[in-house]
Amino acid sequence: MKRIQKVLGILLTVALATTSFVGCSSGSSNTSSSSTSTSTDSSKTSETTNKDTSSAPVETKQEEVKLKWVVWDKDSTAYLQPAIDAYKQIKPNVTIELLDVSSQEYQDKLSVMLSGGADDIDIVTVKDTPGYSSMVNKKQLEPLDSYIEKDNIDLSVYSGLTDQIKMDDKIYELPFRSDFWVLYYNKNLFDQAGVAYPSNDITWNEYAELAKSLASGSGADRVYGSHHHTWRSTVQLGAILDGENSIIQEDYSFLQPMYDMILQMQKDKTIMDYASLKAGSIHYKGVFFNEQAAMLPMGSWFISTLISGIESGEADSTNWGIVKYPHPEGVEAGTTLGTITSLAINSASKQKEETWEFIKFFCGEEGANVIAQTGTLPAIKTDEVVATIANMKGFPTDENSKEALKVAKTYLEMPVNEKSSTIEQILNEEHDLIMTDSIAVDAGLKEMGKRVTEELNK
Amino acid sequence: MEIKTAKNTVTKMSKRELKDNLIAYSFILPNFIGFAVFTLIPVLFSFALSFMNWDGANAITFAGFDNFARLFNDETFKIATWNTIYYAIGTVPLTMVCSLGLAVILNKNIFGRNIFRTIFFFPYVASLVAVAVVWNMIFNPAMGPVNQFLMSIGMENPPRWTASTVWAMPTVIFVSVWKNMGYYMVIYLAALQGISKDLYEAASIDGATSWQQFKSITLPMLTPTTFFVSIMLTISCFKVFDLIFMMTQGGPGRSTTVLVSHIYNIAFKEFSYGYSSAVSMVLFAIVLVITIVQFRMEKKWVSYM
């Protein structure tokens, strides 16, 4: 009896002490069950609104409709409120309520909410491709094909992006925002070094040469030629612009020249050391703001950050410009990488028609103009939109910078694939090893290929 | 007649015992309900889930032993298991030695010992996030003060600490020891105060040196505490996550990926709850076996005087 008690005691102690991780893995089930219970209350209300509205056609009904839109960092996202206000003018009976989630945990939390069958969420903002693939796999998003067909939406305005997000020949999201990579440069630092500004057509080799000629000084005062943030995308994705390789494939030897180049730049102290950046969690923003680097390959989302940084006096790099992203030899200038942010319909939503009406507005041309006015690049880049951005207060006035906004072809940073989040993890881990010199480039790329192949064949 | 009364007393006794027991249980009940709802049921659910496939949205399907078979082909699992053992072997003895050493020193009547006790306990209550950021700065391979110092005394290629696959784990172990030794120091201090002064007096009359006193009185008298500390430390080492997540995110590559971070990745990046539960069960089994072994060995070295 004593013995059993003792064994039981050990068991319980261990169970208690290991609670934190077990609680972790089952936490989702707890939260999801609680969110179902709350959502049943709200589903009742949405059911009643639905009953009122479904009897009349969408255009003529005047009953109150309430849509819930899940977004991240509501307060620092400039275009949300203007878009809601603009829609209110067209459809006064529709109220859109925002559900704010912090951007760091956005995908995790959203997945948990949708897993719990949260039917009070109507409009889902899709943050990235791995999240998109995983939500489609879990059947949490509504296919949009029938809606697109019914309303005769012309997908060609998205310049090929919508073809890259099809899964099983169906489309589940419409992009409203699309950012692409450009090369930022600090004109003052170029002038000081006596180097001519870059043009709108430079190759990666020319870029490396340019960076080398700009680096000077030592210690804390060193000015670096360029700055590569710790993301794998700042190294790997320069190599996929020729269209011959994809970032999800079984052989990664095509990345070798790019890694060799970046590692050499790191060795020459043309760019900052990856390991120090990572260990210090240093944001690329500060490096460019403090004039520590003359160039910065980065996404177009940095334009508005930079402009507001200069306005608030936080940034010293007031004299700046952009040019088109560097490209491999023999590739058309203006070929670049892109990320899209899209809207989708929660498949559990009870107001899919009304939700689609808003998505049609927001992802269409009217929405694009509203978004552009807040300094963000919408997915539809009409001449009007480009002009709005280029004439924005604080945007560089030289012709090259305006020209740089015109894109020839955009490749998605991460192609749509059901394994993309696992592959992302593998690519990051091996990138980490190569950049910290823990493994030779060819060996690292081989390991990368081996692990991704295993994952793809699983 | 006699037998009857004896029987009566027995039933009476057990009735009273039953009442006592019920009263005791009623006091335990509120806590037990919490334990059942938030720990026991999730643990059982997790156990059941390890034989299923579930992504959180689609229907749960039965997987049998597939999830456990998958473990044998999972390279990251092997790396993570090895890293966890490495971390535990590095952390447990070091923390015990450091905390015991501190406790013995701060048990003496030295000047300002309360201040020092506070200083050494402070890391334990400090926020882990802040601690991790500060140590990452100190160990920064290029700009950190540690490497600046090493380079200034002529070392050309100092270790790159968290940016090196070789040094990342030792660095994390060091920070972990620094952070936790204060807590175990307090436990040892309490135990030291409990050792009777008579023993030391008797020993010094017999001419024992202070090292002999430490070896023959202090250490044996502390064995129950050492036993407790070793078990608590081992369990906490096997479930380490926060420190690693904050300092290295499992990197560089997978060189500091531990079991719990692997579980987290499978569950919340890949959404295979079934497989992650299977890994959790393995972790549970490892901790259980180690704890049972420790309890078995208890008789051999722990003395309750």
Side-chain angles (χ1 to χ4, degrees), chain A residues 3 10 17 19-21 24 26 108 111 115 137-138 140 273 275-276 279 421-422 425 429 432-433 436 438 451, chain B residues 39 42 55-58 136 140 142-143 160 163 165 235 239 252-254 264-265 268-271 280 295-296:
Chain A
R3 215 182 147 76
I10 300 176
T19 306
S20 65
F21 73 85
C24 217
S26 50
D108 293 355
S111 296
S115 300
N137 281 336
K138 290 190 254 169
Q140 289 165 340
D273 177 44
S276 311
S421 50
T422 317
Q425 176 92 13
E429 283 168 357
D432 204 26
L433 288 177
T436 52
S438 307
R451 290 180 64 194
Chain B
T39 306
D55 63 2
N58 294 322
N136 260 345
N140 188 306
M143 302 167 254
R160 293 173 64 75
T165 45
I235 293 176
K239 55 176 200 138
R254 286 176 284 181
Y264 175 85
N265 282 342
F268 301 110
K269 296 254 161 76
E270 294 174 32
F271 293 100
S280 310
F295 266 97
R296 278 275 155 80

Side-chain angles (χ1 to χ4, degrees), chain B:
Chain B
M1 225 352 229
E2 269 209 323
I3 295 167
K4 220 180 173 184
T5 42
K7 226 181 182 180
N8 261 347
T9 44
V10 167
T11 43
K12 252 185 196 164
M13 275 280 278
S14 62
K15 242 183 197 167
R16 224 175 64 207
E17 228 172 55
L18 185 75
K19 201 181 154 200
D20 282 351
N21 275 342
L22 280 179
I23 291 171
Y25 283 140
S26 70
F27 279 110
I28 298 171
L29 191 67
N31 194 354
F32 184 77
I33 291 175
F35 170 73
V37 170
F38 295 110
T39 306
L40 200 57
I41 293 173
V43 167
L44 294 176
F45 183 65
S46 176
F47 178 72
L49 210 53
S50 60
F51 297 96
M52 317 270 178
N53 282 328
W54 191 38
D55 63 2
N58 294 322
I60 301 180
T61 53
F62 186 69
F65 283 93
D66 284 3
N67 285 329
F68 291 96
R70 202 178 139 187
L71 285 171
F72 292 98
N73 296 321
D74 185 351
E75 206 196 334
T76 311
F77 169 70
K78 286 173 202 159
I79 294 173
T81 312
W82 164 240
N83 284 342
T84 313
I85 294 169
Y86 179 10
Y87 175 81
I89 289 178
T91 311
V92 176
L94 256 178
T95 313
M96 277 164 67
V97 170
C98 291
S99 50
L100 177 60
L102 282 177
V104 169
I105 292 167
L106 293 179
N107 197 38
K108 295 203 167 77
N109 250 330
I110 58 165
F111 178 71
R113 67 175 181 177
N114 281 337
I115 295 172
F116 282 110
R117 282 178 187 177
T118 316
I119 288 174
F120 287 114
F121 188 69
F122 187 72
Y124 183 74
V125 289
S127 155
L128 188 100
V129 180
V131 163
V133 170
V134 170
W135 279 108
N136 260 345
M137 278 183 191
I138 293 174
F139 281 118
N140 188 306
M143 302 167 254
V146 173
N147 274 8
Q148 293 277 355
F149 171 73
L150 287 177
M151 279 189 273
S152 73
I153 59 165
M155 200 166 169
E156 285 210 353
N157 288 310
R160 293 173 64 75
W161 310 116
T162 51
S164 130
T165 45
V166 179
W167 285 99
M169 193 54 102
T171 313
V172 174
I173 291 174
F174 171 81
V175 175
S176 162
V177 170
W178 172 83
K179 181 152 171 48
N180 289 318
M181 63 185 183
Y183 176 70
Y184 296 103
M185 174 193 80
V186 170
I187 295 177
Y188 270 125
L189 268 175
L192 283 173
Q193 317 259 316
I195 301 177
S196 162
K197 291 269 184 302
D198 305 351
L199 294 171
Y200 292 106
E201 249 168 57
S204 58
I205 287 169
D206 287 346
T209 61
S210 48
W211 171 246
Q212 280 170 329
Q213 287 182 16
F214 176 74
K215 214 175 66 176
S216 309
I217 301 172
T218 315
L219 275 187
M221 293 301 283
L222 283 179
T223 43
T225 313
T226 308
F227 177 63
F228 169 75
V229 167
S230 72
I231 286 188
M232 292 318 287
L233 259 173
T234 317
I235 293 176
S236 77
C237 279
F238 272 87
K239 55 176 200 138
V240 64
F241 174 68
D242 38 11
L243 183 67
I244 301 240
F245 191 78
M246 286 311 302
M247 280 193 71
T248 62
Q249 291 92 40
R254 286 176 284 181
S255 57
T256 53
T257 302
V258 287
L259 276 171
V260 182
S261 48
H262 187 44
I263 292 170
Y264 175 85
N265 282 342
I266 306 168
F268 301 110
K269 296 254 161 76
E270 294 174 32
F271 293 100
S272 5
Y273 293 130
Y275 183 48
S276 72
S277 298
V279 183
S280 310
M281 285 305 126
V282 172
L283 176 54
F284 181 78
I286 294 174
V287 176
L288 184 66
V289 166
I290 291 178
T291 312
I292 288 176
V293 168
Q294 279 175 318
F295 266 97
R296 278 275 155 80
M297 308 236 291
E298 179 195 352
K299 284 179 203 90
K300 292 209 176 111
W301 61 278
V302 178
S303 63
Y304 294 97
M305 288 230 318

